[in-house]
Amino acid sequence: MKKIVKMAMLAASVFVFSSCGEPTFDSSNELESIKAMGEAMDGDTKKAKEFGFAYAKLKMQGKVKEMDGKTADEIIEMAK
């Protein structure tokens, strides 16, 4: 019985911690990452433009792997 309770608590904690926070960039699946990040911006067109330009700049510089695991705000800062 203890084992079942521990497993249930572990599963619940994994769900809670994996579903919070902003989406991050995944260099192995760029398009899905960009789509998720765009949806998280909730219509903030200024931030979306900044992210688009930052992504394009870093991609042209060959820094896709360096963006891996970064949020949109972190990618914008990297491009500055």
Side-chain angles (χ1 to χ4, degrees):
M1 183 67 172
K2 284 184 180 181
K3 191 173 185 179
I4 293 171
V5 172
K6 285 181 183 179
M7 292 301 288
M9 290 178 68
L10 179 63
S13 65
V14 168
F15 175 73
V16 168
F17 289 115
S18 67
S19 63
C20 61
E22 291 183 51
T24 57
F25 185 78
D26 180 11
S27 62
S28 64
N29 197 356
E30 293 180 45
L31 295 177
E32 287 297 317
S33 296
I34 292 169
K35 183 179 176 183
M37 293 169 116
E39 290 171 356
M41 290 181 200
D42 292 328
D44 186 353
T45 55
K46 182 180 177 191
K47 185 175 178 180
K49 280 183 187 178
E50 287 181 39
F51 173 72
F53 286 123
Y55 170 76
K57 180 180 179 181
L58 293 171
K59 177 135 175 124
M60 288 189 330
Q61 293 175 353
K63 296 184 177 180
V64 174
K65 291 287 184 193
E66 292 176 28
M67 291 188 280
D68 198 30
K70 305 274 193 243
T71 63
D73 291 329
E74 292 170 331
I75 291 172
I76 292 168
E77 286 301 312
M78 283 177 62
K80 290 183 179 180

